[in-house]
Amino acid sequence: MTIKKYQNILNGSGVDSPHSFESKNPATGETLGLVPHSTAEQVAQAVASARAAQPAWAARPDDERKSMVARVADMISENAQDLARWVTREQGKPLGGVGAGEIPGALFEIAACEAWTRVPAGLELPIEVVFEDDTRRDELHRTPYGVVAAIAPWNWPLMIAIWQIIPAIRAGNTVVLKPSEYTSIGTLELARVISAVLPPGVLNTVTGLGAVGSALVENPDVDKIMFTGSTATGIKIAAAAARNLTPSTLELGGNDPAIVLPDADPHAIAMGLFWGAFINMGQTCACAKRVYVHESLHDALVAELKVLVEAMPMGNGMEPSIAMGPIQNAMQFEKVVALVDSARAAGATIVTGGQAPGTAGYFYPLTLVTDIQDGADLVDEEQFGPALPIIKYRDIDLAVASANRLGAGLGASVWSADTGHAMAVAKRIQAGTVWINQHGAVHPMVPFGGVKGSGWGVEFGVDGLKSVTQTRVISLKK
């Protein structure tokens, strides 16, 4: 059987490359198609195409750009089923659904793509009068950067690509998108859907391994970089950006703490905490990755979580009634295995899970680990997978210190029946977002970004739209 070869989009047309690589289904090992490995010349051509298209795109009336972005949202909705199937086959998350009680899987991701497209389509960036008196008037105008390089990850490959693409083009920038090499086909299909609405050159794609991303971020004609991924890669991108003084938005790794206060109800919070930790098999930057539970509630909460963990069916997400899919790739699978094995060897208790089934695909059971402390690899390293360490604490000051002790600072959560008390604790935690009685609840109108080693800059809402513009002050002498 002939394996289909997919194409990049360059100036509105499909483009092949001399070399390609396979994209595989992490649940079955099946080869899904061949992805072009962009050459250095093609990366340069993509940036040049975006550069050539940008002035005319920025010159369009703002209402026209808003209307076209809204049409992109319509196209995403019209193609939701096909796009969701690509996410499931290539990334691994189950198809799931969108409504209340549905599994937050691939259809959930595509619904988020639509939502994060419609919101920027309706936002305004008006001229701001920042100062005025009898002698002068100073206006702050927002202008696009120019060409935005967007580098998307494999965990939410379409949704996070949308987070990068849509605000950028809405503000008058053009984009060169590099998908993850693990999830390229679905992202290329999304780009094809978007490009059907836009003028040639507004959205271009380049696919390949790390060298392709390096060539993109090092190109001096790139005016802004947007990257979501690991802290280690973010450091390399920041170094490359510094050489050209290229502004960047970096949403990097997280090791989110969740603190359960002694007045919380274990039964009431269990489901929210479960999905806060295990959505997308724990492969989310802002998942709860270490849970600090007051000793008086520890055993009860672990028991509640164990019931939920063991009730979730795992398997190929294309099959009905599946709640959990595989880990997306071998590297991440091996990291989770090593971290759980290390915890077991050090004396931690594996409450449930902890052993790969040995079947086809990168399946690893949802795993709860207790009798573990700060300093253990599973606590201190971002596992980015379905293994959750649960740590007892006695004193809230020590729990807050534990939450703040690591270099990451993306998200965190506090769980309590007393919202006033929870708010007081939340204000002490070093994170870009602290949720109360929820975890990972991002919203397209609410700014999102990290502190410390979790990056800089924000996305979403008006602040996110501002982040893909630069300021121009016009000062008038009266």
Side-chain angles (χ1 to χ4, degrees):
M1 182 179 70
T2 303
I3 300 174
K4 182 175 179 179
K5 185 174 183 180
Y6 291 81
Q7 293 183 314
N8 274 301
I9 297 170
L10 201 161
N11 201 32
S13 300
V15 176
D16 290 317
S17 297
H19 303 288
S20 60
F21 57 95
E22 295 181 345
S23 182
K24 292 182 177 290
N25 185 326
T28 66
E30 166 198 10
T31 297
L32 300 171
L34 296 177
V35 179
H37 195 296
S38 300
T39 65
E41 292 76 17
Q42 287 174 329
V43 175
Q45 288 167 8
V47 174
S49 172
R51 170 69 66 199
Q54 195 274 328
W57 176 244
R60 286 175 180 258
D62 194 49
D63 284 346
E64 187 175 325
R65 285 202 307 273
K66 289 168 65 177
S67 177
M68 294 180 80
V69 171
R71 177 57 186 148
V72 169
D74 294 340
M75 289 288 286
I76 291 171
S77 178
E78 292 165 17
N79 289 273
Q81 291 291 331
D82 288 342
L83 292 172
R85 282 192 285 269
W86 269 116
V87 170
T88 295
R89 295 172 66 205
E90 195 172 39
Q91 194 278 333
K93 61 172 64 73
L95 276 173
V98 178
E102 294 282 359
I103 298 299
L107 285 166
F108 173 88
E109 178 164 353
I110 304 308
C113 289
E114 181 185 350
W116 263 268
T117 301
R118 293 204 186 279
V119 167
L123 294 179
E124 304 282 352
L125 285 182
I127 297 169
E128 301 173 49
V129 178
V130 292
F131 180 77
E132 186 171 17
D133 64 9
D134 293 339
T135 65
R136 61 186 289 165
R137 174 185 172 91
D138 295 87
E139 297 178 349
L140 189 150
H141 297 243
R142 296 274 172 183
T143 64
Y145 275 104
V147 176
V148 173
I151 302 178
W154 51 259
N155 58 329
W156 294 90
L158 276 60
M159 181 179 74
I160 294 178
I162 285 290
W163 292 356
Q164 299 169 337
I165 296 166
I166 295 302
I169 63 174
R170 162 68 186 84
N173 302 282
T174 53
V175 175
V176 180
L177 170 70
K178 184 208 173 287
S180 167
E181 58 268 34
Y182 293 114
T183 51
S184 297
I185 298 176
T187 314
L188 289 177
E189 288 296 286
L190 173 67
R192 181 181 59 78
V193 168
I194 296 172
S195 293
V197 179
L198 302 176
V202 174
L203 175 60
N204 308 270
T205 66
V206 291
T207 48
L209 307 183
V212 174
S214 295
L216 178 58
V217 300
E218 291 172 0
N219 190 305
D221 283 332
V222 166
D223 300 299
K224 166 87 180 187
I225 298 167
M226 301 184 75
F227 171 75
T228 297
S230 71
T231 299
T233 302
I235 290 170
K236 294 177 182 177
I237 289 174
R243 287 192 284 274
N244 292 322
L245 292 179
T246 308
S248 60
T249 297
L250 303 178
E251 195 266 90
L252 307 180
N255 195 342
D256 289 14
I259 299 178
V260 180
L261 300 184
D263 62 0
D265 179 345
H267 180 73
I269 71 172
M271 184 64 80
L273 191 53
F274 170 86
W275 284 116
F278 290 118
I279 189 172
N280 198 31
M281 286 290 283
Q283 299 170 119
T284 299
C285 295
C287 269
K289 297 190 173 79
R290 48 195 173 112
V291 181
Y292 295 93
V293 186
H294 190 267
E295 60 185 5
S296 64
L297 303 182
H298 177 273
D299 292 354
L301 182 59
V302 170
E304 293 282 354
L305 290 173
K306 183 174 185 290
V307 170
L308 294 175
V309 162
E310 294 180 345
M312 295 291 169
M314 179 178 291
N316 185 339
M318 295 299 292
E319 299 172 0
S321 302
I322 293 297
M324 294 288 162
I327 294 174
Q328 202 285 321
N329 57 75
M331 176 184 67
Q332 201 60 41
F333 176 86
E334 290 165 2
K335 179 176 183 179
V336 172
V337 170
L339 288 173
V340 174
D341 286 351
S342 172
R344 180 190 287 111
T349 298
I350 310 300
V351 175
T352 187
Q355 191 66 50
T359 56
Y362 300 122
F363 290 100
Y364 195 86
L366 304 184
T367 299
L368 301 175
V369 181
T370 61
D371 299 317
I372 192 167
Q373 301 297 326
D374 288 352
D377 290 344
L378 183 59
V379 176
D380 286 13
E381 295 185 28
E382 182 186 20
Q383 67 274 48
F384 215 69
L388 182 65
I390 303 172
I391 305 147
K392 288 181 184 178
Y393 76 88
R394 179 174 298 174
D395 180 86
I396 186 58
D397 292 337
L398 295 179
V400 170
S402 289
N404 291 336
R405 60 182 280 271
L406 301 179
L410 188 57
S413 59
V414 181
W415 302 76
S416 173
D418 182 341
T419 55
H421 187 197
M423 182 68 75
V425 174
K427 291 177 179 178
R428 300 171 61 190
I429 298 177
Q430 298 165 3
T433 301
V434 183
W435 292 280
I436 294 176
N437 294 328
Q438 57 184 350
H439 197 111
V442 294
H443 187 281
M445 276 301 296
V446 179
F448 178 70
V451 299
K452 301 195 293 185
S454 292
W456 53 60
V458 297
E459 300 173 279
F460 311 166
V462 173
D463 287 310
L465 192 56
K466 287 179 177 179
S467 78
V468 288
T469 67
Q470 49 195 339
T471 60
R472 174 184 295 152
V473 173
I474 297 179
S475 184
L476 171 68
K477 182 179 179 181
K478 293 182 176 180

